[in-house]
Amino acid sequence: MTSRPLRILVVEDHFLARFALVKFLGEATDMEVVAVAETGQQALELYRTHSPDMVVMDLRMPEMDGVTAIKAIRAVRPDARILVVSHYETTEDVGRALQAGARGFIRKDASGQMMLEAIRKVGLGLTYMPADLAISLAEVNREEDLTAREREVLEHMFAGQINKQIALALGITEGTVRIHVSNILHKLGVSRRTEAVTLALKRGLLRS
């Protein structure tokens, strides 16, 4: 007896990307697109209506962003299987999606073979993550150990302030600032302040 196709809800706000993804998945004999949403709110409504086996979702959408939509869908069904398919977001964005309940992430420019592999794995209840992103997420876990004060100091470093200026702004001694800066560099795995700021921007710890 042949197993039934994997029933998929596609959530994508851009017409061309949505059209291409639906067409691509429609050519896979073991998959069936049962509904298509353009917004996070529509995704929630269609999930309730169709109860798909899994959701393939972008993060950047109007009305309700992807992370919020993931949380809402998981509130309906805690074991919902959701794969984020998006342009490369910051590692912090991907981390938030995973914390919200997504089971995997893959970039939109991935090969067709990788896309199908990711969808099939998540459809089976497994997880999927590109190796390079998995490494970055592991590094972010270390970055999350930054204290609230260290994050404040990092913000002032981003503003181009020297230790004396940071000390005056935060009401602490220059020696304390030097300790915080040293801890920041160690936790981020860099040796210079400029490298720390560049890396923090890249990973979404700072907003330009």
Side-chain angles (χ1 to χ4, degrees):
M1 181 176 178
T2 304
S3 59
R4 67 175 178 81
L6 183 65
R7 301 174 65 253
I8 302 171
L9 165 61
V10 171
V11 188
E12 169 60 62
D13 67 318
H14 291 289
F15 170 75
L16 290 178
R18 185 171 64 249
F19 176 82
L21 184 56
V22 171
K23 185 176 186 300
F24 172 71
L25 297 181
E27 294 174 352
T29 58
D30 60 340
M31 299 177 188
E32 176 188 3
V33 176
V34 296
V36 181
E38 298 180 28
T39 69
Q41 184 60 46
Q42 286 181 1
L44 177 59
E45 295 168 0
L46 290 172
Y47 189 88
R48 288 187 176 125
T49 300
H50 296 276
S51 297
D53 298 319
M54 70 170 295
V55 181
V56 175
M57 178 184 293
D58 192 7
L59 283 184
R60 308 290 181 179
M61 296 181 294
E63 293 184 17
M64 180 189 293
D65 64 40
V67 171
T68 304
I70 291 169
K71 291 178 180 177
I73 289 173
R74 294 260 299 175
V76 173
R77 183 176 175 181
D79 63 345
R81 299 169 181 179
I82 303 171
L83 173 68
V84 172
V85 180
S86 189
H87 290 300
Y88 190 79
E89 310 291 341
T90 67
T91 308
E92 190 174 65
D93 288 333
V94 177
R96 282 196 294 266
L98 296 177
Q99 289 173 357
R103 290 178 180 260
F105 174 92
I106 188 167
R107 300 179 184 90
K108 287 183 179 179
D109 59 359
S111 68
Q113 181 178 356
M114 291 178 63
M115 184 73 69
L116 292 176
E117 177 186 0
I119 292 171
R120 286 171 180 142
K121 280 191 173 182
V122 172
L124 288 172
L126 304 175
T127 60
Y128 183 90
M129 189 66 54
D132 61 332
L133 185 55
I135 293 172
S136 295
L137 285 169
E139 293 173 347
V140 166
N141 288 335
R142 183 175 62 187
E143 292 161 9
E144 289 176 349
D145 290 336
L146 288 176
T147 66
R149 178 64 85 185
E150 287 165 356
R151 287 177 179 267
E152 285 182 317
V153 171
L154 184 59
E155 291 280 355
H156 286 280
M157 289 165 58
F158 174 49
Q161 295 181 346
I162 61 175
N163 289 354
K164 183 176 181 179
Q165 292 171 314
I166 297 174
L168 288 172
L170 298 180
I172 56 180
T173 67
E174 286 188 61
T176 300
V177 173
R178 283 195 293 272
I179 292 172
H180 286 317
V181 171
S182 178
N183 289 339
I184 291 168
L185 298 181
H186 174 72
K187 290 178 180 180
L188 295 182
V190 296
S191 59
R192 294 191 296 182
R193 296 163 66 107
T194 53
E195 293 173 337
V197 169
T198 299
L199 187 60
L201 282 169
K202 180 180 178 181
R203 292 180 179 166
L205 295 173
L206 293 170
R207 299 293 181 182
S208 57

